[in-house]
């Protein structure tokens, strides 16, 4: 059994250490997934009741154990119903992190093809963003490297047109019937417009409107890079993996797009929402003290 040591009547083995470590990592990932939402309080309530159930079972308190045992049996079904959105998000994270999530993986495995980068000319995106930012026209562009995002593309109007500056500007024009929603860009083409994106359920700063919330939600559910042009300020933001970079220059946007499309890991360059809120608070506090 690979016994390591004993603490009283407890026998600790290597398997126990691995088991405890894996459970700790699982609980930590669940906490990260639920952090900032109302569901974290419900989860902590379930966890507290389960710990009490384990305690009374160990103390052989039979009546209380039976009552809590019945509650835990029903609680599993209740938890699945209550945490349905979080479970779906968790499975999406696992799916997008898997090598099998790549649509071309089977071709690569069966035909031993070298993985190709999906870089394309991003000048139309940059130039269109400049024009949209200068005229304070809001925009939401989802740039995908590995997938056509058919599920989200089918929620809007399919276009499948070669990307161009004039096309993007005409889509996001305030009088265009396609401007309300997101554009999905894949492999140098605008796959669809007026697409509906999942909105994040996390707490975000009040300055972030629905476009930013949708961009963060899409970045949580998929491995994409989302570009946001603010309609109020004209500022450019990028969202990826549930994180965001705000008020970027066009040169920075160009560098991030090139790195992402060529397979460079850029996740560490993005800031969590909590960091942005903390930096904004520090900036406002220093400004008020200076005045």
């Amino acid at each position: 059994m690979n016994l390591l040591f004993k603490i009283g009547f407890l026998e600790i083995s290597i398997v126990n250490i691995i088991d405890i470590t894996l459970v700790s990592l699982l609980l930590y990932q669940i906490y990260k997934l639920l952090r900032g939402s109302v569901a974290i309080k419900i989860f902590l309530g379930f966890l507290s009741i389960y710990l009490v159930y384990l305690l009374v079972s160990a103390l052989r308190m039979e009546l209380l154990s039976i009552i809590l045992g019945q509650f835990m049996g029903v609680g599993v079904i209740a938890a699945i119903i209550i945490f349905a959105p979080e479970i779906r998000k968790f499975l999406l994270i696992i799916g997008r992190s898997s090598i099998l999530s790549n649509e071309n993986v089977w071709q690569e495995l069966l035909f031993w093809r070298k993985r190709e980068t999906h870089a394309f000319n991003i000048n139309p995106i940059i130039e269109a963003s400049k024009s949209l930012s200068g005229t304070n026209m809001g925009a939401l562009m989802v740039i995908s490297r590995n997938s056509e995002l058919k599920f989200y593309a089918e929620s809007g109007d399919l276009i499948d047109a070669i990307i161009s500056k004039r096309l993007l500007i005409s889509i996001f024009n305030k009088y265009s019937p396609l401007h309300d929603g997101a554009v999905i860009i894949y492999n140098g083409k605008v796959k669809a417009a007026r697409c509906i994106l999942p909105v994040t359920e996390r707490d975000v700063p009040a300055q972030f409107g629905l476009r930013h919330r949708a961009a963060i939600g899409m970045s949580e559910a998929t491995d994409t890079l989302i570009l946001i042009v603010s309609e109020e300020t004209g500022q450019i933001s990028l969202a990826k993996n549930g994180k965001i970079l705000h008020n970027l220059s066009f040169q920075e946007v160009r560098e991030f797009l090139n790195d992402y499309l060529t397979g460079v890991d850029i996740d560490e360059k993005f800031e969590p929402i909590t960091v942005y809120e903390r930096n904004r608070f520090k900036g406002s506090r220093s400004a008020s003290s200076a005045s």
Side-chain angles (χ1 to χ4, degrees):
M1 192 176 174
N2 298 324
L3 182 64
L4 291 179
F5 54 88
K6 295 179 65 176
I7 302 177
F9 61 91
L10 293 177
E11 296 181 353
I12 307 299
S13 65
I14 296 177
V15 176
N16 297 138
I17 298 296
I18 296 174
D19 188 22
I20 294 172
T21 303
L22 292 177
V23 171
S24 301
L25 290 174
L26 178 62
L27 291 176
Y28 176 68
Q29 292 299 326
I30 293 175
Y31 171 74
K32 285 178 59 180
L33 183 67
L34 301 179
R35 183 177 54 189
S37 65
V38 179
I40 185 63
K41 298 180 180 178
I42 303 175
F43 172 73
L44 292 177
F46 271 113
L47 185 61
S48 301
I49 295 175
Y50 181 67
L51 293 176
V52 172
Y53 170 68
L54 293 179
L55 179 61
V56 298
S57 297
L59 296 175
R60 300 177 183 268
M61 302 171 66
E62 296 183 2
L63 182 58
L64 196 54
S65 297
I66 293 174
I67 295 174
L68 291 178
Q70 294 294 330
F71 178 81
M72 294 305 301
V74 179
V76 173
I77 301 176
I80 294 175
I81 298 173
I82 294 173
F83 295 113
E86 284 73 20
I87 292 174
R88 179 177 176 273
K89 188 184 298 184
F90 181 68
L91 294 176
L92 283 171
I93 292 173
I94 294 177
R96 80 177 187 188
S97 302
S98 172
I99 186 174
L100 299 178
S101 62
N102 193 335
E103 293 181 352
N104 299 321
V105 68
W106 295 112
Q107 294 180 353
E108 294 173 6
L109 291 176
L110 295 176
F111 301 103
W112 298 94
R113 293 171 55 183
K114 183 178 180 182
R115 179 171 295 190
E116 300 176 356
T117 58
H118 295 276
F120 54 86
N121 182 18
I122 62 171
N123 283 329
I125 299 177
I126 303 298
E127 295 303 321
S129 299
K130 289 180 180 178
S131 299
L132 294 169
S133 174
T135 55
N136 279 27
M137 281 195 291
L140 188 58
M141 308 181 199
V142 180
I143 298 97
S144 177
R145 182 181 63 204
N146 299 322
S147 172
E148 295 184 17
L149 303 174
K150 293 180 181 178
F151 175 79
Y152 298 102
E154 290 174 354
S155 68
D157 296 324
L158 299 177
I159 296 178
D160 198 27
I162 296 175
I163 188 173
S164 68
K165 173 185 175 181
R166 290 188 293 272
L167 176 60
L168 291 175
I169 293 177
S170 63
I171 289 175
F172 289 111
N173 186 285
K174 295 179 180 180
Y175 302 102
S176 169
L178 299 176
H179 84 282
D180 188 16
V183 158
I184 293 178
I185 299 172
Y186 172 72
N187 201 21
K189 289 186 176 181
V190 176
K191 305 300 294 185
R194 205 178 59 84
C195 299
I196 301 173
L197 304 185
V199 178
T200 183
E201 297 179 1
R202 295 158 53 195
D203 293 331
V204 299
Q207 290 79 4
F208 290 165
L210 186 58
R211 282 193 181 89
H212 292 83
R213 293 181 63 90
I216 296 170
M218 186 66 173
S219 69
E220 291 173 341
T222 61
D223 184 23
T224 55
L225 185 65
I226 299 94
L227 186 149
I228 314 106
V229 180
S230 173
E231 187 173 351
E232 296 180 356
T233 63
Q235 294 177 342
I236 308 295
S237 304
L238 289 174
K240 191 176 189 302
N241 198 25
K243 301 177 181 179
I244 195 165
L245 284 176
H246 192 54
N247 195 17
L248 297 172
S249 67
F250 294 106
Q251 181 59 34
E252 290 174 323
V253 173
R254 182 184 297 275
E255 292 174 359
F256 276 108
L257 286 176
N258 280 325
D259 288 345
Y260 169 73
L261 292 172
T262 53
V264 177
D265 186 10
I266 59 175
D267 288 353
E268 295 182 356
K269 299 179 181 179
F270 283 74
E271 295 180 344
I273 304 299
T274 53
V275 173
Y276 170 80
E277 183 71 13
R278 187 162 60 247
N279 292 340
R280 187 184 66 83
F281 175 73
K282 288 181 179 179
S284 62
R285 186 173 59 180
S286 59
S288 60
S289 61
S291 62

